[in-house]
Amino acid sequence: MITLPKGPDFGLQGRRALVTGGSGGIGLAAAAALGRAGAHVTVAARRSAELEQVCAALRAENIACAAQVLDVTDAAAVDRVMAQGEAYDILVNNAGMNRPKPLVELADEDIDAVFDLNVKATFYTSRAAARRLLEEGRGGSIINVSSQMGHVGSPRRTVYCASKHALEGMTRALAWEVGAAGIRVNTLCPTFIETPMTEPMLAQPGFRDWICARNALGRVGRLDEVMGAIVFLASDASSLMTGSALMLDAGWTAA
């Protein structure tokens, strides 16, 4: 008699998740996806009013959640928040920004702002989350929201590409440092997704066509297309995956 293998477990019941940049866009989608899979979700961002609106929407679906006002570029504040309550089993480093300009037009403040949020803040949150998990002897999943631009170059995106390439390197190194403790670290690499942040960019004449001509599916991505990947990386369904990049780029990097 054939015994079928046990299927993958996408459930997150009993787990605690922290999503940075959780007040909108991919962060909001991640919070909803994790909560629907059973996790208690803490959404973190700098503005209290927006966080409370997010939590109200989550609670309307009976998702257990909390709002955490936090500037992730403040290392001391990150450490204080991570020291409170139980450790987070899941960390989604989603907070990020872009200032698309040619390199010769970038001001020092542009470079500092992008690296402070896209790179240094991810180091702060990952460091604090990993410390707690290691101290308590618990496994976990750290998901760094990177980009297809962490694997390719693109005009007007020197500082953004540099920040996302840095995130890819940090992810691979950290995966080796904490893997034996059962902590997995991966990146999620979407193409351009329809969000409030990308709306002005996508509205620029010709820009949407430029994107669509450069990926195999010929279109921009949707938020719901990111949500399944978030649950996969957070859950035991991806228990053999660490130090890897999950590409959601519509084939952009396959060319």
Side-chain angles (χ1 to χ4, degrees):
M1 180 177 178
I2 294 176
T3 301
L4 297 178
K6 181 182 176 182
D9 184 1
F10 290 89
L12 298 174
Q13 289 77 11
R15 300 188 196 181
R16 286 167 43 82
L18 174 67
V19 181
T20 70
S23 59
I26 290 176
L28 175 62
L34 295 170
R36 288 168 181 163
H40 178 285
V41 182
T42 297
V43 286
R46 287 180 291 184
R47 290 176 287 274
S48 176
E50 292 179 6
L51 288 175
E52 291 302 334
Q53 291 177 354
V54 170
C55 279
L58 293 171
R59 290 176 185 133
E61 289 196 15
N62 296 314
I63 293 172
C65 65
Q68 178 63 63
V69 176
L70 176 63
D71 178 357
V72 289
T73 66
D74 183 339
V78 169
D79 287 343
R80 284 195 300 271
V81 166
M82 291 296 196
Q84 300 168 3
E86 296 179 49
Y88 291 104
D89 307 286
I90 302 158
L91 170 63
V92 180
N93 282 310
N94 171 70
M97 68 182 302
N98 186 14
R99 293 191 178 179
K101 300 177 184 178
L103 176 62
V104 295
E105 296 178 13
L106 282 170
D108 291 350
E109 192 275 331
D110 294 321
I111 298 168
D112 290 341
V114 172
F115 268 83
D116 282 350
L117 187 57
N118 291 12
V119 182
K120 291 173 69 175
T122 299
F123 270 78
Y124 299 153
T125 53
S126 298
R127 179 178 63 184
R131 279 175 178 165
R132 284 293 308 273
L133 292 171
L134 290 169
E135 288 168 0
E136 298 182 19
R138 297 169 59 172
S141 175
I142 297 175
I143 304 167
N144 296 322
V145 178
S146 180
S147 168
Q148 65 187 17
M149 297 302 174
H151 298 264
V152 297
S154 186
R156 296 174 54 83
R157 280 166 176 76
T158 51
V159 66
Y160 185 75
C161 286
S163 73
K164 294 302 185 179
H165 276 71
L167 200 58
E168 294 294 329
M170 175 263 202
T171 297
R172 286 164 172 76
L174 183 57
W176 273 99
E177 290 184 9
V178 299
I183 303 169
R184 299 182 299 105
V185 192
N186 294 288
T187 60
L188 184 66
C189 303
T191 185
F192 291 89
I193 304 292
E194 299 266 11
T195 70
M197 187 177 79
T198 62
E199 184 178 358
M201 198 182 306
L202 293 171
Q204 294 173 6
F207 189 69
R208 184 182 293 268
D209 291 339
W210 180 84
I211 292 170
C212 294
R214 281 162 177 77
N215 70 55
L217 297 182
R219 63 179 177 83
V220 175
R222 305 185 308 269
L223 278 176
D224 64 285
E225 294 177 307
V226 178
M227 296 168 78
I230 289 283
V231 173
F232 171 68
L233 291 176
S235 71
D236 291 341
S238 61
S239 58
L240 199 58
M241 185 174 179
T242 196
S244 295
L246 182 54
M247 305 303 298
L248 297 180
D249 65 348
W252 190 297
T253 59

